[in-house]
Amino acid sequence: MVDIGFIGLGIMGRPMAENLQAAGHRLFVLKKSKAAGDLVAKGAVACESASDIATKSSVVILMLPDTPEVEEVLFGDGGVAKGLTDGKIVVDMSSISPLATKEFAKRIREHGAEYLDAPVSGGEVGAKAASLTIMVGGTQKAFDAVKPLFEKMGKNITLVGGNGDGQTTKVANQIVVALTIEAVAEALLFASKAGADPALVRQALMGGFASSRILELHGERMIERKFNPGFRIGLHQKDLNLALEGARKLGIALPHTASAQQLFSSCVANGGKEWDHSAMVKALELMSSHQVAKG
Amino acid sequence: MVDIGFIGLGIMGRPMAENLQAAGHRLFVLKKSKAAGDLVAKGAVACESASDIATKSSVVILMLPDTPEVEEVLFGDGGVAKGLTDGKIVVDMSSISPLATKEFAKRIREHGAEYLDAPVSGGEVGAKAASLTIMVGGTQKAFDAVKPLFEKMGKNITLVGGNGDGQTTKVANQIVVALTIEAVAEALLFASKAGADPALVRQALMGGFASSRILELHGERMIERKFNPGFRIGLHQKDLNLALEGARKLGIALPHTASAQQLFSSCVANGGKEWDHSAMVKALELMSSHQVAKG
């Protein structure tokens, strides 16, 4: 049994924490969290502050919205850093800036603690089913120590490299996903407008060189017009922002990522912040005054 | 045994014709073709013109570079159309304009003949191995009649719809492939510049939501720096031109396809017309002054 601090009990964090609790671990949570009550009823300890949680836990897991929230929880007043001692491990499972992560890890190590960045993909469904993909950056030793906990939350768990590399992998994942959605969207829009049945075109492309999980799953969403999330455009915009901000700081050009972000913005402008990200096709459809028609 | 006219004995057409000949069919080829001699030595009949070929064959297969060549061979002086009679079938396996194809098919049917558009993917390797993917547009009856011949040239053979829909599917395929190459290229460039090992990042993404044949095969090419074709950029440019010309005529917007074409142009400007299309990453690398480093 591990004493685990869990900070960030939202749509993702709550089921992840519940899976750890169900596995017999003792949780330390923020008293002010909305979800704290239910966890405390099952044995979790309610704490006044993040530093209090860090003092009482050996592993502190964060699942927060973005970089500023992680920085505040780690290094703000009453933050995690103040409660750290040698041998504790901070595990940031949020999706945040890879560059900031390297800096955060360095500062955490100065407190004698270890740091893992371990963002996930798989969404709310994966969080509940404990089938998340977890992309980890950090030392082998810290990874080995936390791996049994990761295995209660996910399935495909990879140590990619040192600190930051987990977040970098997550950003790379979100770039590929967004740009492949647009690839499928442009192909199906063309096929549909040219008079072919997009469902048959999708089928003909599957199994060939154009095949992808996105063609399979999101291609079907575009044809069936099922744009309930899934993964919300507003969240994917946050991830592409990490890619584009990172690219600017790194001094590289990501032209299609930049354009995909604008297509998402067009969706948001049309009320689509909560649409599934496969609805990127709608931006294209609005531009083209033609809808991918179900065959 | 079918009497087959085969016009266009280039890198793709020649091995396709050889596979038909090896299966016992009698070929009729243009005397002026460079490859005619070898086929004639094995029993093919050398003909003076395309109309001569059409007169003598029951199925006429075309495998030509682009739309104008197909139009000339079909409807020019001494063209296929002049040799057609009721019941013959014209099979255009070239990759050409879907919109022009609909017009060509209409004109061919006015001669009492049938028309199939049946472009392929799988390249020279697939042509030689008789493992091409064949995307067909036309009537079920004509498809059924020619299917035994397709099966000597390919493996994944789909009747997608009416005339033009085969070409539309091929264009859709080439859109997805080009844009997915760029998706993988941007992700690996970002990961590499951020300090992660792109080989490990690629591995972490495989099997997840970002997985695709392109990530698998072309992601590896980018990391291993293997840009020998494969499929030449010059040819993919021709296919994207069909997409962009088609989109203009259809009145739809394909912003990422347009941009991918420019990235290919940047490769060509740097001597890359003969590079494999995965070398699209080089355009990005030139822009970014950073190369995806082998891990």
Side-chain angles (χ1 to χ4, degrees):
Chain A
M1 200 196 73
V2 182
D3 285 342
I4 303 169
F6 206 112
I7 302 172
L9 299 168
I11 289 171
M12 295 293 293
R14 184 180 170 154
M16 291 162 70
E18 286 172 345
N19 284 329
L20 290 168
Q21 190 176 47
H25 298 293
R26 183 156 59 169
L27 296 187
F28 297 83
V29 299
L30 282 176
K31 190 181 281 177
K32 66 179 179 187
S33 292
K34 273 187 217 163
D38 290 346
L39 290 161
V40 169
K42 293 183 187 169
V45 180
C47 303
E48 294 294 337
S49 69
S51 67
D52 186 20
I53 287 177
T55 304
K56 291 172 176 160
S57 316
S58 55
V59 173
V60 182
I61 296 175
L62 311 187
M63 193 61 186
L64 294 162
D66 207 344
T67 314
E69 289 84 352
V70 171
E71 183 165 25
E72 174 64 23
V73 164
L74 289 178
F75 306 112
D77 284 344
V80 167
K82 294 200 168 60
L84 292 176
T85 47
D86 279 9
K88 292 182 191 254
I89 307 177
V90 174
V91 185
D92 180 26
M93 302 189 76
S94 326
S95 291
I96 69 163
S97 160
L99 286 74
T101 289
K102 292 183 194 203
E103 182 60 27
F104 295 169
K106 194 173 157 230
R107 290 169 68 186
I108 291 295
R109 283 195 302 269
E110 285 165 3
H111 290 80
E114 285 267 19
Y115 190 96
L116 293 175
D117 48 300
V120 307
S121 77
E124 191 181 348
V125 174
K128 286 181 176 165
S131 65
L132 294 166
T133 295
I134 308 177
M135 298 154 265
V136 190
T139 65
Q140 184 73 50
K141 193 183 156 198
F143 177 74
D144 291 342
V146 179
K147 203 177 176 203
L149 305 184
F150 287 147
E151 286 167 347
K152 298 298 174 198
M153 297 181 280
K155 278 194 170 133
N156 190 357
I157 302 153
T158 314
L159 179 64
V160 185
N163 281 135
D165 290 355
Q167 296 292 356
T168 293
T169 303
K170 175 71 192 284
V171 171
N173 187 76
Q174 298 303 80
I175 291 172
V176 172
V177 169
L179 271 49
T180 310
I181 287 173
E182 177 63 8
V184 171
E186 295 200 7
L188 293 184
L189 187 79
F190 178 87
S192 169
K193 181 76 180 187
D197 178 344
L200 293 176
V201 170
R202 169 181 163 278
Q203 244 172 345
L205 300 193
M206 301 249 293
F209 216 58
S211 67
S212 66
R213 286 290 298 281
I214 299 294
L215 176 65
E216 192 186 336
L217 301 174
H218 287 353
E220 189 174 35
R221 276 176 171 275
M222 294 173 199
I223 294 164
E224 302 285 340
R225 317 303 296 172
K226 287 184 186 162
F227 297 124
N228 55 317
F231 188 76
R232 286 173 178 76
I233 282 176
L235 286 171
H236 210 147
Q237 284 201 297
K238 189 207 91 177
D239 294 336
L240 293 193
N241 187 50
L242 293 176
L244 295 170
E245 271 195 9
R248 191 168 63 81
K249 283 178 187 157
L250 294 166
I252 59 169
L254 302 180
H256 284 208
T257 303
S259 164
Q261 184 75 309
Q262 300 310 308
L263 292 168
F264 278 145
S265 290
S266 166
C267 290
V268 172
N270 287 279
K273 196 173 179 183
E274 304 294 319
W275 295 342
D276 182 73
H277 54 170
S278 58
M280 189 190 281
V281 71
K282 286 197 185 192
L284 209 58
E285 290 173 342
L286 286 163
M287 272 188 219
S288 299
S289 188
H290 176 81
Q291 193 168 300
V292 172
K294 191 175 165 180
Chain B
M1 199 195 74
V2 182
D3 285 341
I4 303 170
F6 206 113
I7 301 172
L9 299 168
I11 289 171
M12 294 292 292
R14 184 179 170 152
M16 291 162 70
E18 285 171 348
N19 284 329
L20 290 170
Q21 189 175 50
H25 299 292
R26 184 157 58 167
L27 297 185
F28 296 83
V29 299
L30 281 177
K31 191 181 278 176
K32 67 181 180 188
S33 292
K34 272 187 213 162
D38 291 349
L39 291 162
V40 169
K42 292 182 187 170
V45 179
C47 302
E48 292 295 335
S49 68
S51 66
D52 187 21
I53 288 177
T55 304
K56 291 172 177 160
S57 315
S58 54
V59 173
V60 182
I61 296 175
L62 311 187
M63 192 62 188
L64 294 163
D66 208 345
T67 314
E69 290 85 352
V70 171
E71 183 165 26
E72 174 63 22
V73 164
L74 289 179
F75 305 110
D77 284 343
V80 166
K82 294 201 169 59
L84 292 177
T85 48
D86 278 10
K88 293 184 189 249
I89 307 177
V90 174
V91 185
D92 180 24
M93 302 189 75
S94 326
S95 292
I96 70 163
S97 160
L99 286 75
T101 289
K102 293 183 192 201
E103 183 59 27
F104 295 169
K106 194 172 155 230
R107 291 169 67 186
I108 291 294
R109 283 196 301 269
E110 285 165 3
H111 289 81
E114 285 266 18
Y115 190 97
L116 294 174
D117 49 300
V120 305
S121 78
E124 192 181 345
V125 173
K128 286 180 177 166
S131 65
L132 294 166
T133 294
I134 308 178
M135 298 152 265
V136 190
T139 64
Q140 185 73 49
K141 192 183 156 199
F143 177 74
D144 291 342
V146 178
K147 204 176 175 203
L149 305 184
F150 287 147
E151 285 167 347
K152 298 298 174 196
M153 297 181 280
K155 279 196 172 130
N156 192 354
I157 302 153
T158 315
L159 178 65
V160 185
N163 281 135
D165 290 355
Q167 296 293 355
T168 293
T169 303
K170 174 69 191 284
V171 170
N173 188 77
Q174 297 303 83
I175 290 171
V176 172
V177 169
L179 269 49
T180 310
I181 288 174
E182 177 63 8
V184 171
E186 294 200 9
L188 293 184
L189 187 80
F190 178 87
S192 168
K193 181 75 181 190
D197 178 344
L200 293 175
V201 170
R202 170 180 162 277
Q203 244 171 347
L205 299 194
M206 302 248 293
F209 217 57
S211 68
S212 65
R213 286 289 298 282
I214 298 294
L215 176 66
E216 191 186 337
L217 301 173
H218 287 352
E220 188 175 38
R221 276 177 172 273
M222 293 173 199
I223 293 162
E224 303 285 341
R225 317 303 295 169
K226 286 184 185 164
F227 297 123
N228 55 315
F231 187 75
R232 286 174 177 76
I233 282 176
L235 285 171
H236 210 146
Q237 284 201 295
K238 189 206 91 177
D239 294 337
L240 293 193
N241 187 51
L242 293 176
L244 295 168
E245 271 195 8
R248 192 167 62 80
K249 284 179 187 156
L250 293 167
I252 58 168
L254 301 179
H256 285 208
T257 303
S259 166
Q261 183 75 310
Q262 301 309 308
L263 293 167
F264 277 146
S265 290
S266 167
C267 291
V268 172
N270 286 279
K273 195 174 178 182
E274 304 294 319
W275 295 342
D276 182 73
H277 55 169
S278 58
M280 190 191 279
V281 71
K282 286 196 181 192
L284 209 58
E285 290 173 342
L286 285 162
M287 273 189 219
S288 299
S289 189
H290 176 80
Q291 192 169 299
V292 173
K294 191 176 164 179

